[in-house]
Amino acid sequence: MKLTIGHLYPDLLNLYGDRGNIQCLMKRCQWRGIQAETIAYELNDKIDFSALDIVLLGGGSDREQMLVCEKLKEIRKDFKDYVEDNGVVIAICGGYQLLGNYYKTDQGTITGLELVDMYTEQGEGRLISNIILKSELFEMPVVGFENHGGRTYINDNKPLGKVLYGSGNDGKTGYEGVVYKNVIGTYLHGPLLPKNPQLADWLISHALKKKYGNDVELIPLDDSQEKEANAYICGRFLK
Ligand code: GLN
């Protein structure tokens, strides 16, 4: 079995080293004997979505998002077809905002990919915090760090989880992220997948099932250190 991961525009969207999430996906495949390769795309590269099994869209500053936005118009149709065909996507922070219809800032409005019916508007002050969620998708809480000026409104879509600590999508509703088909969008950046192996495996298993059929089972890995780290963070912030 083999998975190909497409990393979109790492030269612009790689805030807080989102690239580490790619390494985590590759390693968790390789440890199980699943071949994995990553194709990193620069702005002018042509993307053949039919060759990809997982797409990662990382975080970026408002300025970088503005630069990427023009390019998104060109790939929107192919990306939308990929998503509707149950392609797997993980979109983080700035990339998460770009999944939606638009991101309105003081400097202007950035048109999004319109892959998920949601939108983002810049609010007063930044939401910066450690964050913990309970997601229906996983047993363990999802832990991470958020730093965003945008407030995201996901309309009727499902959130990734309920905020147990931190701000989440808009600092008010108590929810974080979005799940649409095989797309996960979230504000949790930095080492999202190394810290949350269950989320990494969700992406891997959905990609494998789409490609090789529903009876593919992932071999469990020894995640005892990750579980300990997760318990430590929960103990520290959830009193
Ligand atoms: N520029 C966006 C915001 O501030 C996203 C930032 C990020 O990716 N950390 O809301």
Side-chain angles (χ1 to χ4, degrees):
M1 289 192 289
K2 179 177 176 188
L3 292 182
T4 303
I5 303 162
H7 191 180
L8 263 53
Y9 317 130
D11 45 341
L12 289 168
L13 301 180
N14 187 32
L15 209 61
Y16 288 75
D18 291 321
R19 204 187 301 263
N21 289 315
I22 297 268
Q23 283 163 359
C24 174
L25 287 173
M26 298 272 290
K27 268 289 167 219
R28 294 185 73 82
C29 284
Q30 289 158 0
W31 283 330
R32 296 172 161 119
I34 302 163
Q35 285 184 56
E37 70 163 345
T38 298
I39 306 176
Y41 295 98
E42 291 185 7
L43 264 196
N44 291 321
D45 294 342
K46 167 125 189 58
I47 304 175
D48 175 8
F49 282 93
S50 70
L52 302 179
D53 304 302
I54 300 178
V55 171
L56 185 136
L57 201 53
S61 64
D62 291 359
R63 190 189 71 83
E64 290 160 330
Q65 286 172 285
M66 202 73 94
L67 291 173
V68 166
C69 150
E70 278 309 300
K71 194 71 203 172
L72 296 183
K73 288 183 193 148
E74 290 170 30
I75 64 166
R76 186 184 299 160
K77 170 150 189 337
D78 288 355
F79 205 166
K80 176 98 187 154
D81 291 347
Y82 171 85
V83 165
E84 291 304 312
D85 187 34
N86 298 316
V88 175
V89 179
I90 175 73
I92 297 164
C93 207
Y96 167 39
Q97 296 171 336
L98 292 174
L99 289 179
N101 303 331
Y102 64 84
Y103 171 29
K104 195 167 160 202
T105 76
D106 290 349
Q107 309 298 314
T109 298
I110 299 170
T111 310
L113 283 156
E114 296 172 347
L115 301 179
V116 181
D117 181 26
M118 52 177 247
Y119 63 96
T120 300
E121 292 182 347
Q122 196 172 44
E124 213 163 289
R126 299 188 67 79
L127 304 175
I128 306 173
S129 178
N130 284 288
I131 177 164
I132 304 177
L133 322 174
K134 182 67 193 102
S135 172
E136 279 174 16
L137 303 178
F138 322 112
E139 231 172 84
M140 265 199 316
V142 178
V143 297
F145 186 76
E146 61 180 326
N147 179 355
H148 49 110
R151 280 32 172 197
T152 296
Y153 303 93
I154 62 169
N155 295 324
D156 290 334
N157 290 294
K158 270 198 190 161
L160 172 61
K162 198 168 161 30
V163 177
L164 304 180
Y165 184 88
S167 297
N169 280 340
D170 56 11
K172 290 196 184 111
T173 53
Y175 289 98
E176 203 288 321
V178 77
V179 182
Y180 171 74
K181 293 176 89 93
N182 284 341
V183 177
I184 291 184
T186 177
Y187 271 118
L188 276 59
H189 57 183
L192 170 72
L193 300 182
K195 277 183 175 172
N196 298 287
Q198 73 279 21
L199 208 159
D201 283 356
W202 187 96
L203 301 170
I204 293 170
S205 80
H206 280 73
L208 287 174
K209 284 187 167 133
K210 174 168 188 288
K211 195 167 186 180
Y212 297 104
N214 272 335
D215 41 350
V216 175
E217 287 285 341
L218 281 190
I219 302 167
L221 298 175
D222 175 11
D223 290 327
S224 45
Q225 287 188 338
E226 288 83 348
K227 284 180 187 155
E228 248 178 73
N230 186 289
Y232 172 79
I233 289 292
C234 292
R236 184 171 155 202
F237 294 109
L238 304 177
K239 295 282 182 249

